Amino acid sequence: MSRNDSTDPPVGSALIEPAKQAMLLSALYIAQEQNGYLTPEAVERTAQRLGLSERDVYSTASFYTLFRMQPVGRYVIQVCDGLSCYLADGADTVADYIGAKLGIAPGETTPDNAFSLEKVQCLASCGTAPAMRVNDQLYEHLTAAAIDAILERLMGEV
Amino acid sequence: MTQWTPVLLANVQRPNSEKIGTYLDGGGYQALRKALQMTPDEVIAEVKNSGLRGRGGAGFPTGTKWSFVPKDAPVKYLAVNTDEGEPGTFKDRLIVERDPHAILEGVIIAAYAVGAQRAFVYIRGEFFLGVKRWIKAIADAYEYGFLGKDILGSGFNLDVSVHRGAGAYICGEETAMIESLEGKRGEPRLKPPYPAQEGLWYKPTIVQNCETLANIPHIIERGAAWYAGIGTEQSKGPKIFCVSGHVNRPGNYELPLGVTLREIIEEHAGGVRYGRKVKAIIPGGASTPMLTADQLDVPMAFETLQAAGSALGTGAVIVMDEETDMVEVTRRITRFFVHESCGECTPCRVGGQRILENLDRLAAGQAEPAIMQELDRLSQGIMGLTFCPMGTGMCEPITSGMRLFRDEFTARFPESA
Ligand SMILES: Cc1cc2nc3c(=O)[nH]c(=O)nc-3n(C[C@H](O)[C@H](O)[C@H](O)COP(=O)(O)O)c2cc1C
Ligand code: SF4
Ligand code: FES
C-alpha cells in the first residue's frame, strides 16, 4: 500500500471536483516553504495549479495565522501567551527575556533576518509550561538557562 | 484516593509506545477484529449502552450521534478532530504523539459502525510531531491490513488521510473544521443541519474527538456494561484530566469521571505550589466558568459541574493560587478569544473587541466604576446570540470572573473614582 504520505485528497467519482480545493491548505504550506511566506507569485502559482481564482486562494490563506503574507526571519520564535504559561511564570516573562536578548519586540524581526519573535496562543503544552516553538520544534519547561542555550545554538547556525 | 488502573494512558508509558508493534503487543487491534464480527448496528448499540459522551467539549452521547447517520446515504465520512486548542487542554496531543494507534483503531471501528469508507484526520498545524505520528500510524495500519480494501477479510473498506490545519482555534468547532477540510476559510456553518446529516461536501459526516475515539476499542473489547460501571449516573468511563497552573505536578491524569476536583488537585497533581491556597479553578478549559475554593468537592462529571454553574468541557483543570491577579487572568483569556474570533458574526467580533479594550483600561487603572455595567451589557449582547458557541464561551470566564472576584475588579478604579 502506498499511502505513506497520505495527505492527498479524497479520490472517488463524486469527489474529484471538491477535492481540488481540499488540497489548498496543503498546497499553501508547500508554496510557503521556499520563501518562508506567501509571495504574490506563489499565490498565483497555487491558484493556477488548483484551478482556483487568486481571490479564493487569498481568501483562504488570509484566514490562517500559519500562512504569512510578509517575510519573516529564518527562525520564528513563537512564545505561548496563554493562561497556563502565564501562571507558570512564562508568557510575558519569556517573551520579554528573548526580546531583550535579541533587541526586538514581539512582531519584529532582527535586522539580519535571523530571528522573528511572536506571541502565540496556547500550544497544548500547558502541563509542561512555559512553552514556545521555534519553527517546527517545541520547547517546554523553559527557564532562562534553557532559553540561553537554545538561542546560542541557533545563533551558531545562522 | 480513587484506585484506578489507567486504560487510556496504559500504552503511552511504554517505550516506543507510538509504534504499531508496541500497540499490537499490548493487545492492540483485537477490538477491531471483534467489532468486524459484529453487525454495524450491534457496534452502535454497544457504544450507546456504554454511555460514552464526547470528550471534545460538548459531551454529546457518541452512540446516539452515530445512530443519526442516515443508513441509506451512499457516501458518508468520518472526521477526526485533532485540533486541540482550548487553552489548558493537552491530552489529544499526548495520545496522538504517543499512542496514535489507539485513536486509529477507534476510527476504524467508528467508520465501520456508521458505514463511512473515508476518514479525514484534521490536525492542528502546530502539531508537527503529531502530524508525523499520524502519517506513520496510518501507513503502518495499511501495511497490516487494518486499512484499505477488505479490512481483515471483512469486506469493509476504509481510507484515511491527514490534513493539517493552519493556526485557527475556531477550526476545532466541527462545522468550521469541515469548511477548513474543504479548503476554505474556517467559518462555522449554521446548525442544524448537523454534520451527521450534512457535513463534508454536504454528505453525512461524523466528527469525533481523539480521546472519544480512543475509548472505543476498550468499550468493544470489554463491553458496554464494564464501561457503564465506571463513573457517575450521567458521565461514564475514564477521563483524561489535564491539570495546569499553580500545582506542584501539572500533567495528564486519567481517572474515572466523578472524581472530585479536590482529589485531582491535592492527591494527583501534588497540591498547590509553595503550600499556598487555591483561589480559583477553571474546570474544563478556558471557555468554562470559573469556580472558587469552596467548590473543590464538586465531582468532575457533566451533570455535577453543570449544577455547580460550570461545565466539564475538555476536562482541562487550570488552578490559580491565592496570589493570582484575576483581572489579568480574565483579560488574558479574553485576549485569546478575541484573537481567535473568526469574525463571521458581529457580537463576537465587535463585542469581544470592546470587552477587551475595557479590560485593558481597567487593568491599567484608567476605568471608571461604570465599566462594570458596561462589561455586563457587552457580555449580555454576546451570550447566546452568536452564530457558533464560541461567543458564549468567550463570555463565561468574563462574567464568572467579574461575579466571583468583583473586589479585585473594583480595586482597579483610580483613587479619585
Ligand atoms: C469554538 C470551539 C472549538 C472547539 N474545538 C475543539 C477541538 O479543538 N477539539 C475537539 O475535539 N472538539 C472541539 N470542539 C467541539 C467540536 O465542535 C465537536 O463537538 C467535537 O469535535 C465532537 O466530538 P466529540 O463528540 O467526540 O467530543 C470545539 C467547539 C467549539 C465551539
Ligand atoms: S461566535 Fe465568533 S467564532 Fe463563532 S461564528 Fe461568530 S464570530 Fe465566528
Ligand atoms: S497556555 Fe501555554 S501551552 Fe497552553
Side-chain angles (χ1 to χ4, degrees), chain B residues 108-122:
Chain B
I108 306 166
I109 297 171
Y112 172 73
V114 302
Q117 301 196 15
R118 192 70 180 77
F120 301 82
V121 170
Y122 188 86

Side-chain angles (χ1 to χ4, degrees), chain B residues 255-276:
Chain B
L255 290 161
L257 282 162
V259 62
T260 66
L261 200 45
R262 184 185 302 284
E263 179 177 331
I264 293 176
I265 295 170
E266 293 177 3
E267 317 264 344
H268 301 280
V272 179
R273 67 172 189 180
Y274 310 140
R276 289 184 189 155

Side-chain angles (χ1 to χ4, degrees), chain B residues 170 173 186-188 337 340-349 382 386-392 394:
Chain B
I170 192 60
E173 193 282 330
E187 287 166 355
F337 285 112
E340 295 301 327
S341 168
C342 84
E344 193 175 0
C345 59
T346 319
C348 172
R349 185 186 66 238
I382 300 174
T386 50
F387 203 76
C388 91
M390 201 188 100
T392 305
M394 164 161 66

Side-chain angles (χ1 to χ4, degrees), chain B residues 217-389:
Chain B
H218 301 290
I219 292 171
I220 295 304
E221 211 171 318
R222 306 196 206 188
W226 163 77
Y227 196 88
I230 304 161
T232 68
E233 190 60 36
Q234 291 169 49
S235 309
K236 304 298 189 190
K239 175 82 189 81
I240 303 172
F241 296 102
C242 316
V243 191
S244 69
H246 293 152
V247 289
N248 284 314
R249 287 197 302 271
N252 279 308
Y253 295 95
E254 180 191 330
L255 290 161
L257 282 162
V259 62
T260 66
L261 200 45
R262 184 185 302 284
E263 179 177 331
I264 293 176
I265 295 170
E266 293 177 3
E267 317 264 344
H268 301 280
V272 179
R273 67 172 189 180
Y274 310 140
R276 289 184 189 155
K277 294 193 179 66
V278 172
K279 181 196 267 184
I281 315 100
I282 292 175
S287 62
T288 58
M290 296 186 205
L291 299 173
T292 47
D294 57 327
Q295 291 171 301
L296 279 171
D297 291 309
V298 64
M300 292 290 285
F302 292 104
E303 66 275 26
T304 44
L305 278 164
Q306 197 181 352
S310 190
L312 182 67
T314 58
V317 177
I318 308 174
V319 181
M320 290 157 272
D321 73 17
E322 53 195 325
E323 306 275 297
T324 312
D325 174 353
M326 298 310 292
V327 174
E328 177 56 23
V329 166
T330 310
R331 194 167 72 109
R332 195 166 285 267
I333 299 173
T334 308
R335 195 153 77 206
F336 168 79
F337 285 112
V338 168
H339 183 265
E340 295 301 327
S341 168
C342 84
E344 193 175 0
C345 59
T346 319
C348 172
R349 185 186 66 238
V350 179
Q353 187 62 45
R354 292 267 158 75
I355 290 179
L356 183 58
E357 286 161 11
N358 278 302
L359 287 172
D360 285 346
R361 278 200 303 127
L362 182 80
Q366 294 164 354
E368 306 299 314
I371 199 172
M372 300 302 279
Q373 286 94 298
E374 178 65 2
L375 284 167
D376 275 335
R377 193 186 63 82
L378 286 165
S379 306
Q380 293 315 316
I382 300 174
M383 291 180 91
L385 301 174
T386 50
F387 203 76
C388 91

